[in-house]
Amino acid sequence: MKALVLKEPGVTAVESVADLVPNAQDVVLKVRMVGLCGSDLNSFRGKNPMVSFPRVLGHEVAGTVVDGAGQFAAGTNVTLSPYTSCGTCPSCLRDRPNACQFNQTLGVQRDGAMTEFISTPASKVFTANLSLKELCLVEPLTVGFHAAARGRIAPEDVVAIIGCGGVGLGAVAGAAQRGATVIGIDVDDEKLRIATAAGATHSINTARESLHDRLLELTAGRGPDVIIEAIGLPQTFRAAVEEVAFTGRVVYIGYAKEPVAYETRLFVQKELDILGSRNALPEDFQAVIQMLEAKRFPVDEAISSIIPLDQVPEALNAWSNEPARVKKILVDLDQ
Ligand SMILES: NC(=O)c1ccc[n+]([C@@H]2O[C@H](COP(=O)([O-])OP(=O)(O)OC[C@H]3O[C@@H](n4cnc5c(N)ncnc54)[C@H](O)[C@@H]3O)[C@@H](O)[C@H]2O)c1
Ligand SMILES: [Zn+2]
Ligand SMILES: [Zn+2]
């Protein structure tokens, strides 16, 4: 089979790899389209310590069932959850397999979907009445939906999302689906435009506006009930606890790349709920699928380009040189 292999940091190639040998009980999929996200870019740049080399990339998958293991009809288009869960760690025992201590994400700790065929347990497969490009958007949007669930977001909440990139955009849509008033925050007007199309009612560009002043103005001086951080910078990690309302909730999705110093007095004085949010649960997949089936998400605006497999090495180089210019690249394996 042909596959896109990350051979070492900064070096990818389309190569021949061993043919798939599936387990009898697994579903076999012909891969049709795969999305690339910031995590793939991180792996490409050698900044993801969980990746070993060589590695086939790809975890945002649209595929067609070849062998449905008795559960899915051949020819059905599906997407999948790229995570594993061990069943015995503290997270799994608490029914939170999304945060499994021993998770192995497709394309990260094990070979991914940027190839011709893959196999996966039936429990990881989701059917949906969606196009291939919509199926590819399901997984990246689930991460933000899970954060909205972790923040217990309800219609009466004002929710601020710091960072409206691929992950933050899902949080914007997830909070909006839950009926909240959503404030999108970014330094890039194009990202804020898409966030508005995905359900943000207000936006703040912190490259030219004061975050503190604008948030107070939009919340009658109280601060947002919930702040979701989706970047991973020390200053935005701190801003979340500084700007959130008293007794509010802070949800961190961003992975900080360095230690963050805090005024921890605020945790206590405001009596905050400070929550981490990692990956997503099956119910987050179902919620995103429902939103996409209802056409309540700006699919075309969220995609920058659709390219064939052969062009991935060049596209990753270009993206790495100018990260801000890319939203979502989809790879069409049919081309
Ligand atoms: N928790 C999880 O399960 C999970 C999963 C995937 C990714 N992540 C993490 O989520 C974070 C976001 O990932 P992404 O793929 O959306 O990245 P991204 O680069 O696409 O998005 C980041 C956004 O933040 C904006 N931004 C940058 N600096 C800013 C600042 N100072 N103020 C306001 N906005 C700013 C950028 O313009 C961009 O729109 C990363 O830290 C990533 O590691 C977490
Ligand atoms: Zn991704
Ligand atoms: Zn586990």
Side-chain angles (χ1 to χ4, degrees):
M1 308 191 291
K2 265 201 318 189
L4 187 279
V5 184
L6 178 58
K7 301 173 75 73
E8 56 182 272
V11 181
T12 51
V14 178
E15 289 189 340
S16 205
V17 296
D19 282 348
L20 179 72
V21 186
N23 289 329
Q25 68 277 20
D26 280 356
V27 173
V28 178
L29 304 178
K30 165 107 181 71
V31 182
R32 304 288 305 281
M33 206 176 261
V34 178
L36 286 166
C37 76
S39 325
D40 298 300
L41 182 62
N42 248 336
S43 304
F44 176 75
R45 290 169 148 187
K47 289 188 180 153
N48 185 346
M50 291 180 291
V51 174
S52 55
F53 303 95
R55 179 63 67 235
V56 177
L57 293 177
H59 60 277
E60 305 177 355
V61 187
T64 301
V65 174
V66 176
D67 177 345
Q71 305 222 34
F72 301 95
T76 311
N77 289 342
V78 300
T79 188
L80 57 81
S81 167
Y83 319 117
T84 60
S85 47
C86 71
T88 56
C89 77
S91 306
C92 288
L93 291 175
R94 275 194 271 270
D95 241 354
R96 288 164 60 182
N98 59 297
C100 174
Q101 195 172 349
F102 305 105
N103 167 58
Q104 294 204 308
T105 302
L106 204 63
V108 181
Q109 293 96 338
R110 59 195 170 108
D111 277 341
M114 233 172 271
T115 184
E116 295 177 53
F117 296 94
I118 55 168
S119 63
T120 184
S123 60
K124 303 289 177 189
V125 173
F126 295 88
T127 56
N129 189 13
L130 295 173
S131 66
L132 294 175
K133 58 185 180 184
E134 289 166 333
L135 286 167
C136 283
L137 288 187
V138 172
E139 189 278 335
L141 290 171
T142 59
V143 176
F145 266 60
H146 186 66
R150 290 281 287 152
R152 307 188 301 277
I153 289 171
E156 62 274 19
D157 290 325
V158 177
V159 181
I161 320 287
I162 312 183
C164 298
V167 167
L169 190 59
V172 167
Q177 289 303 304
R178 288 170 165 262
T181 303
V182 181
I183 305 170
I185 300 163
D186 207 288
V187 289
D188 182 326
D189 282 328
E190 173 64 4
K191 299 287 168 69
L192 290 171
R193 195 184 64 74
I194 302 165
T196 303
T201 38
H202 308 279
S203 58
I204 303 176
N205 185 326
T206 51
R208 56 166 190 267
E209 297 176 279
S210 156
L211 178 65
H212 180 69
D213 293 352
R214 287 280 284 132
L215 283 177
L216 289 187
E217 193 182 300
L218 291 169
T219 58
R222 298 150 43 112
D225 304 294
V226 182
I227 295 191
I228 299 179
E229 200 280 355
I231 306 173
L233 291 173
Q235 65 266 37
T236 49
F237 256 63
R238 276 192 290 272
V241 298
E242 286 163 5
E243 303 299 341
V244 74
F246 273 67
T247 64
R249 287 150 270 156
V250 172
V251 185
Y252 289 116
I253 323 180
Y255 275 103
K257 275 69 183 176
E258 55 188 296
V260 182
Y262 271 103
E263 185 61 79
T264 61
R265 181 178 50 80
L266 292 173
F267 302 1
V268 180
Q269 194 180 24
K270 291 187 176 181
E271 196 171 341
L272 299 178
D273 286 7
I274 298 177
L275 303 150
S277 182
R278 180 178 166 202
N279 300 346
L281 285 164
E283 58 251 44
D284 302 310
F285 279 78
Q286 296 296 3
V288 170
I289 287 170
Q290 265 177 28
M291 171 185 72
L292 290 171
E293 285 181 342
K295 308 290 172 214
R296 289 196 303 256
F297 184 80
V299 170
D300 289 320
E301 279 97 318
I303 297 169
S304 350
S305 58
I306 303 182
I307 60 171
L309 190 66
D310 298 351
Q311 283 176 23
V312 175
E314 192 188 316
L316 278 168
N317 270 319
W319 189 7
S320 186
N321 292 334
E322 272 187 288
R325 285 198 44 203
V326 173
K327 292 174 286 187
K328 163 85 47 210
I329 298 171
L330 298 183
V331 182
D332 183 351
L333 280 291
D334 290 346
Q335 281 186 36

Coordinates of all heavy atoms in Angstrom, one line a residue, residues 37 39-40 59-60 139-140 328, ligand 2:
C37 N -4.0 18.4 11.0 CA -4.3 19.5 12.0 C -3.0 19.9 12.6 O -1.9 19.4 12.3 CB -5.3 19.0 13.0 SG -4.6 17.9 14.3
S39 N -1.7 19.2 15.4 CA -0.9 18.1 16.0 C 0.0 17.4 15.0 O 1.1 17.0 15.3 CB -1.8 17.0 16.6 OG -3.0 17.5 17.1
D40 N -0.5 17.2 13.7 CA 0.3 16.7 12.7 C 1.5 17.6 12.4 O 2.6 17.1 12.1 CB -0.5 16.4 11.4 CG -1.6 15.5 11.6 OD1 -1.4 14.3 12.0 OD2 -2.8 15.9 11.4
H59 N -5.2 11.0 11.5 CA -6.1 10.6 12.6 C -7.5 11.2 12.4 O -8.4 10.9 13.2 CB -5.6 10.9 14.0 CG -5.4 12.4 14.1 ND1 -4.2 13.0 13.7 CD2 -6.1 13.4 14.6 CE1 -4.3 14.3 14.0 NE2 -5.5 14.6 14.5
E60 N -7.7 12.0 11.3 CA -9.0 12.6 11.1 C -9.5 12.0 9.8 O -9.2 12.4 8.7 CB -8.9 14.2 10.9 CG -8.2 14.8 12.2 CD -7.9 16.3 12.1 OE1 -8.2 16.9 11.0 OE2 -7.5 16.8 13.0
E139 N -13.8 14.5 14.0 CA -12.8 14.3 15.1 C -12.2 15.6 15.6 O -12.2 15.9 16.8 CB -11.7 13.3 14.7 CG -10.9 12.9 15.9 CD -9.7 13.8 16.2 OE1 -9.3 14.6 15.3 OE2 -9.3 13.9 17.4
P140 N -11.7 16.5 14.7 CA -11.1 17.7 15.2 C -12.2 18.6 16.0 O -11.8 19.3 17.0 CB -10.6 18.5 14.0 CG -11.2 17.8 12.8 CD -11.5 16.4 13.2
K328 N -7.4 24.3 7.7 CA -7.4 22.8 7.6 C -7.1 22.3 6.2 O -7.8 22.8 5.3 CB -8.8 22.4 8.1 CG -9.2 20.9 7.8 CD -8.8 19.9 8.8 CE -9.0 20.2 10.2 NZ -8.0 19.6 11.1
Ligands
ZN2 ZN -6.3 16.5 14.6

